Amino acid sequence: MDAGDSQSAHRAFLNRYYRTVRHVYDPTRRYFLFGRDRVLAELLLESWDTLIEIGPGTGRNLRVLHRTRPNARYGGVEASDEMLQHARARCPWASLAHGFAESADLGAVLGVRPQRILFSYCLSMVADPAAALLNARRALAPGGEVALVDFGDLRSTWSPARALRAFLGAFHVGSIDRALAATGASKLRWGPGRYYVTARLPAIAG
Ligand SMILES: C[S@@+](CC[C@H](N)C(=O)[O-])C[C@H]1O[C@@H](n2cnc3c(N)ncnc32)[C@H](O)[C@@H]1O
Protein backbone atom coordinates (compact mmCIF):
# COMPACT_ATOMS: atom_id res chain seq x y z
CA MET A 1 0.00 0.00 0.00
CA ASP A 2 1.46 3.42 -0.91
CA ALA A 3 1.31 6.48 1.41
CA GLY A 4 -1.84 7.85 -0.29
CA ASP A 5 -3.69 4.53 0.06
CA SER A 6 -2.73 4.09 3.69
CA GLN A 7 -3.86 7.66 4.53
CA SER A 8 -7.18 6.99 2.79
CA ALA A 9 -7.56 3.75 4.76
CA HIS A 10 -6.73 5.54 8.04
CA ARG A 11 -9.22 8.33 7.26
CA ALA A 12 -11.94 5.76 6.48
CA PHE A 13 -11.21 3.88 9.74
CA LEU A 14 -11.37 7.12 11.77
CA ASN A 15 -14.63 8.16 10.14
CA ARG A 16 -16.25 4.78 10.83
CA TYR A 17 -15.01 4.79 14.41
CA TYR A 18 -15.90 8.39 15.32
CA ARG A 19 -19.23 8.59 13.44
CA THR A 20 -21.08 7.43 16.56
CA VAL A 21 -18.36 7.62 19.24
CA ARG A 22 -17.96 11.40 18.87
CA HIS A 23 -21.34 11.93 20.53
CA VAL A 24 -20.21 10.26 23.76
CA TYR A 25 -16.51 11.08 23.43
CA ASP A 26 -16.06 13.86 26.00
CA PRO A 27 -18.05 12.35 28.91
CA THR A 28 -16.39 8.90 28.50
CA ARG A 29 -12.78 9.88 27.74
CA ARG A 30 -12.39 11.82 30.97
CA TYR A 31 -12.10 8.41 32.68
CA PHE A 32 -9.06 7.26 30.73
CA LEU A 33 -7.33 10.10 28.87
CA PHE A 34 -5.44 11.28 31.95
CA GLY A 35 -2.87 14.08 32.06
CA ARG A 36 -4.64 16.33 29.55
CA ASP A 37 -5.69 18.98 32.06
CA ARG A 38 -2.21 19.07 33.56
CA VAL A 39 -0.68 19.85 30.17
CA LEU A 40 -3.33 22.48 29.42
CA ALA A 41 -2.78 24.12 32.83
CA GLU A 42 0.98 24.25 32.17
CA LEU A 43 0.42 25.78 28.73
CA LEU A 44 -1.77 28.45 30.27
CA LEU A 45 1.10 29.53 32.54
CA GLU A 46 3.26 30.29 29.50
CA SER A 47 3.43 33.17 27.08
CA TRP A 48 2.09 32.39 23.58
CA ASP A 49 -0.71 33.60 21.39
CA THR A 50 -0.75 31.08 18.53
CA LEU A 51 -1.45 27.38 19.09
CA ILE A 52 -2.39 24.47 16.83
CA GLU A 53 -3.68 21.13 18.06
CA ILE A 54 -2.99 18.05 15.94
CA GLY A 55 -5.99 15.74 16.14
CA PRO A 56 -8.23 18.06 18.18
CA GLY A 57 -11.08 15.53 18.10
CA THR A 58 -14.19 17.18 19.54
CA GLY A 59 -12.26 20.39 20.23
CA ARG A 60 -12.39 19.78 23.97
CA ASN A 61 -8.82 20.95 24.66
CA LEU A 62 -9.08 23.99 22.41
CA ARG A 63 -12.22 25.05 24.28
CA VAL A 64 -10.46 24.75 27.65
CA LEU A 65 -7.59 26.93 26.41
CA HIS A 66 -9.90 29.43 24.70
CA ARG A 67 -11.96 29.89 27.86
CA THR A 68 -8.91 31.19 29.73
CA ARG A 69 -7.07 32.84 26.84
CA PRO A 70 -9.78 34.00 24.40
CA ASN A 71 -7.56 36.44 22.53
CA ALA A 72 -5.05 33.85 21.33
CA ARG A 73 -5.33 32.39 17.82
CA TYR A 74 -6.18 28.69 17.66
CA GLY A 75 -6.03 26.14 14.87
CA GLY A 76 -6.13 22.42 14.32
CA VAL A 77 -5.38 19.67 11.82
CA GLU A 78 -7.67 16.66 11.99
CA ALA A 79 -7.67 13.48 9.88
CA SER A 80 -11.27 12.45 10.63
CA ASP A 81 -13.99 14.31 8.72
CA GLU A 82 -16.48 13.32 11.44
CA MET A 83 -14.39 14.86 14.22
CA LEU A 84 -13.54 17.88 12.10
CA GLN A 85 -17.22 18.65 11.56
CA HIS A 86 -17.84 18.25 15.31
CA ALA A 87 -14.92 20.49 16.32
CA ARG A 88 -15.81 23.18 13.78
CA ALA A 89 -19.31 23.44 15.23
CA ARG A 90 -17.95 23.72 18.77
CA CYS A 91 -14.96 25.98 18.10
CA PRO A 92 -16.12 28.55 15.53
CA TRP A 93 -13.25 30.85 16.56
CA ALA A 94 -10.59 28.28 15.52
CA SER A 95 -9.09 27.61 12.07
CA LEU A 96 -9.56 23.89 11.63
CA ALA A 97 -8.38 22.01 8.54
CA HIS A 98 -8.46 18.46 7.31
CA GLY A 99 -5.01 16.87 7.15
CA PHE A 100 -2.59 14.28 8.45
CA ALA A 101 -0.07 14.94 11.21
CA GLU A 102 2.79 13.55 9.16
CA SER A 103 2.34 15.76 6.10
CA ALA A 104 0.00 18.73 6.76
CA ASP A 105 1.32 22.21 6.06
CA LEU A 106 1.07 23.44 9.66
CA GLY A 107 2.37 26.91 8.88
CA ALA A 108 -0.64 27.46 6.60
CA VAL A 109 -3.28 26.79 9.27
CA LEU A 110 -3.02 30.21 10.94
CA GLY A 111 -0.93 31.82 8.21
CA VAL A 112 2.00 32.05 10.65
CA ARG A 113 4.25 29.53 12.35
CA PRO A 114 2.55 28.59 15.65
CA GLN A 115 4.29 29.10 18.99
CA ARG A 116 2.82 25.92 20.43
CA ILE A 117 1.70 22.67 18.81
CA LEU A 118 -0.31 20.31 21.00
CA PHE A 119 -0.60 16.54 20.57
CA SER A 120 -3.08 15.14 23.10
CA TYR A 121 -3.63 11.38 22.74
CA CYS A 122 -3.22 11.78 18.99
CA LEU A 123 0.36 10.68 18.37
CA SER A 124 -0.42 7.09 19.40
CA MET A 125 -3.04 6.92 16.60
CA VAL A 126 -0.75 8.32 13.92
CA ALA A 127 0.76 5.79 11.48
CA ASP A 128 4.24 7.37 11.56
CA PRO A 129 4.71 9.20 14.88
CA ALA A 130 8.36 10.10 14.18
CA ALA A 131 7.37 11.84 10.93
CA ALA A 132 4.53 13.66 12.71
CA LEU A 133 6.89 15.02 15.40
CA LEU A 134 9.39 16.13 12.79
CA ASN A 135 6.68 17.86 10.75
CA ALA A 136 5.47 19.71 13.87
CA ARG A 137 8.90 20.76 15.14
CA ARG A 138 9.87 22.10 11.75
CA ALA A 139 6.64 24.14 11.57
CA LEU A 140 7.07 25.90 14.93
CA ALA A 141 7.96 29.56 15.31
CA PRO A 142 11.54 30.06 16.56
CA GLY A 143 11.59 29.33 20.29
CA GLY A 144 8.27 27.44 20.03
CA GLU A 145 7.51 24.05 21.54
CA VAL A 146 5.54 20.90 20.91
CA ALA A 147 3.54 19.91 24.01
CA LEU A 148 2.55 16.28 24.10
CA VAL A 149 0.51 13.97 26.31
CA ASP A 150 -0.25 10.36 25.42
CA PHE A 151 -0.36 6.81 26.69
CA GLY A 152 2.88 5.83 28.39
CA ASP A 153 4.60 2.51 27.89
CA LEU A 154 2.27 0.87 30.46
CA ARG A 155 5.33 -1.06 31.55
CA SER A 156 3.64 -1.62 34.87
CA THR A 157 3.22 -5.22 35.98
CA TRP A 158 -0.29 -4.23 36.98
CA SER A 159 -2.38 -6.54 34.78
CA PRO A 160 -5.13 -4.00 33.86
CA ALA A 161 -2.36 -1.86 32.31
CA ARG A 162 -1.22 -4.78 30.14
CA ALA A 163 -4.82 -5.57 29.20
CA LEU A 164 -5.37 -1.93 28.25
CA ARG A 165 -2.33 -2.02 25.94
CA ALA A 166 -3.75 -5.07 24.13
CA PHE A 167 -7.22 -3.49 23.93
CA LEU A 168 -5.88 -0.21 22.50
CA GLY A 169 -4.16 -2.04 19.65
CA ALA A 170 -7.58 -2.89 18.22
CA PHE A 171 -8.30 0.84 17.89
CA HIS A 172 -5.13 1.69 15.95
CA VAL A 173 -3.45 2.98 19.11
CA GLY A 174 0.22 2.11 19.01
CA SER A 175 3.34 2.77 21.03
CA ILE A 176 5.05 6.15 20.76
CA ASP A 177 8.14 5.05 22.73
CA ARG A 178 10.44 4.70 19.75
CA ALA A 179 9.40 8.04 18.21
CA LEU A 180 9.95 9.84 21.51
CA ALA A 181 13.30 8.15 22.10
CA ALA A 182 14.43 9.22 18.62
CA THR A 183 13.81 12.89 19.48
CA GLY A 184 16.27 12.68 22.39
CA ALA A 185 13.59 14.42 24.49
CA SER A 186 14.85 15.05 27.98
CA LYS A 187 11.73 16.63 29.40
CA LEU A 188 9.69 13.40 29.64
CA ARG A 189 7.43 12.98 32.65
CA TRP A 190 5.38 9.94 33.52
CA GLY A 191 2.00 9.65 35.17
CA PRO A 192 1.27 7.02 37.85
CA GLY A 193 2.11 3.46 36.66
CA ARG A 194 3.64 5.06 33.54
CA TYR A 195 0.04 5.23 32.32
CA TYR A 196 0.68 8.48 30.50
CA VAL A 197 3.70 10.46 29.39
CA THR A 198 4.11 14.18 28.79
CA ALA A 199 6.90 15.74 26.78
CA ARG A 200 8.14 19.08 25.50
CA LEU A 201 10.08 19.26 22.26
CA PRO A 202 11.76 22.38 20.89
CA ALA A 203 11.52 23.78 17.36
CA ILE A 204 14.05 22.63 14.80
CA ALA A 205 15.10 24.41 11.65
CA GLY A 206 13.01 23.35 8.66
C1 LIG B 1 -7.89 9.89 20.89
S1 LIG B 1 -8.43 11.29 19.94
C2 LIG B 1 -7.88 12.66 20.94
C3 LIG B 1 -8.69 13.91 20.70
C4 LIG B 1 -8.24 15.14 21.51
N1 LIG B 1 -6.90 15.53 21.15
C5 LIG B 1 -8.35 14.91 22.99
O1 LIG B 1 -7.35 15.00 23.70
O2 LIG B 1 -9.49 14.67 23.45
C6 LIG B 1 -7.25 11.29 18.59
C7 LIG B 1 -7.61 12.26 17.49
O3 LIG B 1 -6.53 12.27 16.54
C8 LIG B 1 -7.08 12.19 15.23
N2 LIG B 1 -6.06 11.57 14.35
C9 LIG B 1 -5.71 10.27 14.26
N3 LIG B 1 -4.73 10.11 13.36
C10 LIG B 1 -4.43 11.35 12.88
C11 LIG B 1 -3.46 11.83 11.93
N4 LIG B 1 -2.63 11.01 11.29
N5 LIG B 1 -3.44 13.17 11.69
C12 LIG B 1 -4.29 14.01 12.33
N6 LIG B 1 -5.22 13.60 13.23
C13 LIG B 1 -5.28 12.28 13.51
C14 LIG B 1 -8.33 11.34 15.40
O4 LIG B 1 -9.24 11.48 14.34
C15 LIG B 1 -8.87 11.89 16.72
O5 LIG B 1 -9.66 13.01 16.53
Side-chain angles (χ1 to χ4, degrees):
M1 214 189 273
D2 69 20
D5 288 343
S6 64
Q7 287 194 332
S8 299
H10 188 53
R11 183 176 188 170
F13 161 76
L14 293 171
N15 283 337
R16 273 196 313 277
Y17 179 54
Y18 286 122
R19 189 159 298 136
T20 47
V21 167
R22 69 191 172 100
H23 299 292
V24 294
Y25 190 88
D26 287 335
T28 53
R29 268 42 183 189
R30 61 196 293 236
Y31 298 108
F32 61 94
L33 298 188
F34 301 126
R36 292 183 298 173
D37 289 334
R38 176 178 172 179
V39 169
L40 299 180
E42 287 169 357
L43 280 168
L44 286 167
L45 294 175
E46 300 164 9
S47 167
W48 50 265
D49 51 26
T50 48
L51 178 143
I52 289 179
E53 180 169 6
I54 311 299
T58 59
R60 179 255 189 206
N61 298 325
L62 291 175
R63 287 199 308 284
V64 171
L65 294 169
H66 182 257
R67 219 174 288 138
T68 304
R69 197 170 295 187
N71 294 329
R73 294 174 63 203
Y74 297 94
V77 169
E78 171 56 61
S80 159
D81 305 271
E82 296 285 340
M83 281 302 212
L84 184 59
Q85 187 191 336
H86 197 97
R88 278 184 173 147
R90 300 183 82 186
C91 310
W93 31 262
S95 301
L96 301 173
H98 183 271
F100 296 91
E102 299 94 325
S103 55
D105 179 356
L106 303 180
V109 177
L110 296 175
V112 291
R113 290 174 177 271
Q115 293 160 305
R116 295 289 182 275
I117 296 181
L118 172 64
F119 285 84
S120 167
Y121 286 94
C122 171
L123 197 63
S124 55
M125 289 193 96
V126 165
D128 187 344
L133 289 179
L134 195 61
N135 190 39
R137 296 175 70 188
R138 283 183 170 154
L140 282 165
E145 279 192 337
V146 166
L148 155 72
V149 55
D150 215 309
F151 291 109
D153 55 18
L154 299 171
R155 226 174 258 157
S156 157
T157 51
W158 188 51
S159 60
R162 294 200 310 274
L164 177 66
R165 176 62 101 189
F167 170 77
L168 291 172
F171 295 95
H172 293 210
V173 176
S175 169
I176 60 167
D177 303 351
R178 215 175 314 154
L180 273 184
T183 64
S186 55
K187 291 197 228 166
L188 293 188
R189 287 186 302 161
W190 304 89
R194 294 171 79 99
Y195 182 94
Y196 69 84
V197 62
T198 70
R200 285 305 184 104
L201 303 169
I204 50 179

